Amino acid sequence: MKLDPAAKTALHNAGFSRRGFLKTSGALIVGFSAAGWPSRSQAQGPLPGSPAMNQLDSWIAIGADGTITAYSGKEELGQGIATAQQQLVAEELSVPFNKVNLIYCDTALTPDQAHTAGSQSHPTNFNETNLAKAAATARETLIRLGSERLGIPEAQLVAADGVVMSRSDSSKRISYGQLIAGRKFNLAVNPNAKRKDPKDWVVLGKPVVRPDLSDLVTGKFVFVHNVRLPGMLHGRVVRPPTVGALVASVDESSVQGMPGLVKVFVKKNFVGVVAEKPYQAIQAAAKLKVNWNPGKPLPNFATLYDDLRKQKGTRDTLLVDSKDVDQKFSQAPIVVKATYLHPYQMHGSMGSSCAVADVQGDKATIYSATQAVWYQKNTSAMILGLKPENVRVIFRRGSGCYGVNGADTVTYDAAILSQAIGKPVRVQLTRKEEMAHENYGPAYVLDQKAALDAQGNIIAWEHESWSPGLGGRPGANQPGNIITGYLLGYEPAPFTPRSTAPAPTAYANNSNGIPSYFAAQFNGRNQGCGTIESGRVMTHALPSAFWTGPLRSPARLQNTFAHESFMDELAARAKADPVAFRVKHLTDKRLIAVVNAVAKGINWDTRPSPKPNARRTGVATGRGMACVLYEGDNGYSALAAEVEVNQDTGKVVVKRLVAGTDVGPISNPNGLNNQIEGGALQGLSRALLEEVTWDNEKVTSFDWRTYRTLPLGFEVPKIESILINRPEEEAFGAGETSITVVAAAIGNAIFDATGARLRQVPFTPERVKAALSTRT
Amino acid sequence: MSRVLSTPPLPLTTDQGVETNLDVARKKVRAPQSDSSTIRHLTLATIPLTLVLRGTKMSAIRLKVNGREHTLDLDPTTPLLYALSDDLALQGPKFGCGLGQCGACTVIVKGQAVRSCVTTVKSVEGSEITTLEGIGTAEKPHPLQKSFIEEHAAQCGFCVNGVIMTAKAFLDKNPKASSEQIQQAMSGVLCRCYTNVRMLRAIERAGRELSR
């Protein structure tokens, strides 16, 4: 059964594994997020006006000079996908890398491929009938046209270096430019077009240097922050000072006569100013007197997790239920329980978000770092009251967003202010506006319970978790999911309680809610990665006081922290080596392979944890590991860590990380390593330091002092990255693999070193000391 | 037998089909990822027109940036970052936090790494200011710029200005710095994509080249 790209996206967003779905027959289910939150875009085909996805001309154009232009809906955020896509097209069309001009994410030019997110860019454009197949179709078409023009059978022709020529007589040739000369193909993309054999790759698979590096290091690169339009003015916003506060009144006279001030603009609860120079706008926004009606009191920070667990009216989802778990627990000789806690964390982009909008009458041109230009076009049109076809959104890179930062919200800010004065307006958020109002990665409470038999095998495992949510990505039509849309009067996506979770009918591990060690039998077939047949996974979604949205490895990271820490606790209980214990309960060969590769790479000391005869004061050292198949079908990752724990101060220093990664065929090993290393260190910062805090009315993490994060010069661990290249497999995403397993690997290493178990992230020195003090 | 799901191919020797808006738009754009460069020149050309005193807060501020002199009409308390990035349309120094905490705005003044978001234009009037653009070009890169490319030391690239300028100021004074010293010197700079390993390696590499 073949699935068209929209269907695959719909399934993915609904939490269904592509592998699982394709192998079972079943009705096409479209559009529902299993967790009840639209934190990923709802299933949505390409929006009206998008170049047709199934037409070759939407993707590839060849000029008379032979230059190849490729159009993509997946954008470069810093993750290396532009380079990989350019390599892909160059490879499939057999031209040098620099002969391909890749244009991405401009609604006037490129197809609607929804968001660049979710580690889906490689699967979407490399596996499915999109960019890769388009380039392959173009190559086959060139051969066919060359055959007609040269009068030589196709089988005797080869496309190489921009030319179609006879294999036996290279003087019989015709260039791509001569064959196509800027005309349209007027062909459909052929889903059966033959991809180049990875054995023959000369561009793909190579560590091609990213073409933007030179501009980045010389200050020539144009970020959205650098976009300038003639006559451009500067806008700044005034956000609620406390959570949920709404405008009572605005005293425009408080800024009257300020130098360069052009306008004060208020619409419902949106407040902004426009001035000639940025500093003038900043001063006016700071000086403007706004009276606010306070919002509801915030939940108690100190009792957050207990309160989450107790909340009524949750939306419940069962991911798996073998229906015999309670029975197994009642019969088991050993039952182990543990609860894990993970805080709200923020995306914390390096540069606060920025956009430039030019709204003239009924038309708008917007430069935005949005992850979805077509959806931004639609929602900007909504808030401006314009027709979507008259709104153009052009992606310009922002600062790394790690999921969803202020890029969409500041785009609305710029658009609405530009419309208010009929001139181009650039808006950049302050550090506090970026941090206090972003859509956080939400907190999690994760209960784990498992039964062991007398031989130390896991015979049943139950997971129950709670996590709040509010809003998320604005998607194609929900601007109220983010702060500016909300202030302008749009509502966030509604929360719908559901107290009886429907019985799960298909394997859907998009959230990694199902531990890797589950067999997860559906329709008579095991679809999980492991051996455990008795299992239950129940998740509870509930309303959040703070905006939430996908933060790099959303839910997957928190679930994996719980599962991989708990697996380690079970191994300790069974007095088994953590690596051997995992392998014993795994069936997925590729997952076993990354685990073994990493164990070998770190020279894993095979024995149970904790380390015997360890000292109980001073500095202790230990090793730990964790593994996951991201989303159940999108990237194999394992990580081993060596740590030093100062048992007197509680300080943890990670000395060494060995990461193992299997994402199928590697497009660019250098780019892949950059993501693996970056993800590992970002995971380290989140595991050791990061936590959003608040008092009874406002968020208190609003700059780099109040939201702690690892700086450049911290004691960086030695990182080794082992890449397993599988050219014959489908391409997986990689940007969220290593980050998913860091917290558990470190927690497990701390346990190995000290016998103290950390169950709450971040592992601050205070928490480490508290755990040390409860050791038996 | 596989079915090719394409419409029958039309010969490409004849022009066919109606030109759509998409075709028109695509024809207009040659290199859209870098089209702001022409706009930047336009803005620089209009600067002389803004040298009009407005209100009592503005005054003529002389800034020497990358070897060129500029006289700008500014509130003297304006943070240097805005004069550089807006009035002079320089793209190197960036607004990351506006609080001097992250380093994205770093420039070099009198050999020191200075956080331009918390430094007034008045306080650096007359001093030599160097931005990222001023230390080297693609044709003649500074060793740091060269090593960052060789080590692939960037992901989103937003922090690169702060990292390179802080490193340059440090290496200029400490050409034989050890890895530990480099690490210390970079301890107040932020990179949220966490390209730390490659950046520290690139700085060490540049250090070796500079101290030869």
Side-chain angles (χ1 to χ4, degrees), chain A residues 206-244:
Chain A
K206 305 286 178 255
V208 171
V209 177
R210 259 175 54 176
D212 58 341
L213 288 175
S214 177
D215 282 354
L216 284 171
V217 302
T218 54
K220 294 278 176 280
F221 187 84
V222 180
F223 285 90
V224 68
H225 304 71
N226 303 122
V227 170
R228 303 173 69 77
L229 299 177
M232 184 176 84
L233 298 176
H234 295 273
R236 289 295 188 275
V237 298
V238 182
R239 295 283 201 243
T242 57
V243 175

Side-chain angles (χ1 to χ4, degrees), chain A residues 390-732:
Chain A
N390 291 337
V391 177
R392 178 181 182 186
V393 177
I394 303 169
F395 172 78
R396 287 289 181 266
R397 193 188 306 179
S399 173
C401 60
Y402 324 122
V404 59
N405 65 354
D408 286 303
T409 221
V410 78
T411 303
Y412 298 160
D413 293 332
I416 208 87
L417 287 176
S418 175
Q419 186 176 54
I421 59 162
K423 292 203 164 80
V425 172
R426 175 189 188 275
V427 176
Q428 186 166 8
L429 300 180
T430 63
R431 178 52 28 199
K432 184 182 223 169
E433 286 157 3
E434 179 76 23
M435 286 179 146
H437 303 281
E438 64 146 89
N439 294 62
Y440 302 123
Y444 277 80
V445 177
L446 305 131
D447 286 349
Q448 308 297 309
K449 180 175 170 186
L452 298 168
D453 65 19
Q455 289 74 44
N457 301 304
I458 306 171
I459 52 179
W461 184 330
E462 177 176 38
H463 161 124
E464 188 174 8
S465 58
W466 293 258
S467 186
L470 174 67
R473 292 194 196 284
N477 47 34
Q478 223 139 31
N481 275 353
I482 57 182
I483 182 77
T484 303
Y486 178 72
L487 295 174
L488 286 168
Y490 294 88
E491 287 300 311
F495 172 79
T496 318
R498 177 175 66 193
S499 57
T500 308
T505 53
Y507 181 65
N509 208 10
N510 193 241
S511 65
N512 283 116
I514 303 173
S516 301
Y517 312 95
F518 276 37
Q521 190 182 91
F522 286 92
N523 301 309
R525 237 178 38 85
N526 288 348
Q527 297 184 44
C529 300
T531 61
I532 304 167
E533 290 176 350
S534 298
R536 181 163 60 212
V537 174
M538 168 76 84
T539 70
H540 305 285
L542 35 119
S544 166
F546 308 99
W547 298 103
T548 62
L551 168 60
R552 198 172 183 181
S553 188
R556 301 128 176 85
L557 185 149
Q558 294 85 349
N559 283 327
T560 303
F561 164 60
H563 299 159
E564 288 297 299
S565 300
F566 192 58
M567 194 60 179
D568 222 60
E569 296 204 46
L570 297 175
R573 193 64 194 269
K575 298 205 185 346
D577 172 71
V579 170
F581 192 67
R582 282 173 169 78
V583 172
K584 182 163 81 154
H585 291 91
L586 286 175
T587 54
D588 187 307
K589 291 190 168 56
R590 290 170 75 180
L591 191 50
I592 293 169
V594 283
V595 168
N596 285 333
V598 154
K600 184 155 176 259
I602 205 165
N603 204 12
W604 182 266
D605 183 13
T606 301
R607 54 162 175 74
S609 290
K611 198 190 260 188
N613 308 316
R615 46 186 306 204
R616 290 224 144 191
T617 58
V619 175
T621 62
R623 93 279 182 261
M625 99 111 63
C627 67
V628 76
L629 169 54
Y630 188 71
E631 297 186 327
D633 68 356
N634 193 20
Y636 291 93
S637 177
L639 187 76
E642 280 176 6
V643 307
E644 264 180 18
V645 183
N646 185 321
Q647 298 176 99
D648 305 322
T649 63
K651 186 156 186 280
V652 175
V653 176
V654 180
K655 303 299 287 184
R656 192 173 167 211
L657 291 172
V658 176
T661 307
D662 169 4
V663 288
I666 298 173
S667 294
N668 187 319
N670 214 345
L672 176 55
N673 273 329
N674 218 350
Q675 285 283 282
I676 299 300
E677 292 160 13
L681 291 181
Q682 194 175 75
L684 187 54
S685 180
R686 288 175 68 180
L688 294 182
L689 286 177
E690 296 184 33
E691 180 165 16
V692 176
T693 59
W694 60 91
D695 61 22
N696 64 343
E697 59 175 9
K698 64 186 183 302
V699 170
T700 49
S701 313
F702 50 74
D703 65 11
W704 298 115
R705 297 221 172 90
T706 50
Y707 186 75
R708 300 182 59 219
T709 177
L710 291 173
L712 195 64
F714 84 100
E715 208 179 322
V716 181
K718 188 166 184 304
I719 304 182
E720 292 138 61
S721 170
I722 301 169
L723 301 182
I724 300 175
N725 191 18
R726 296 195 193 274
E728 73 287 358
E729 297 283 355
E730 64 173 326
F732 289 154

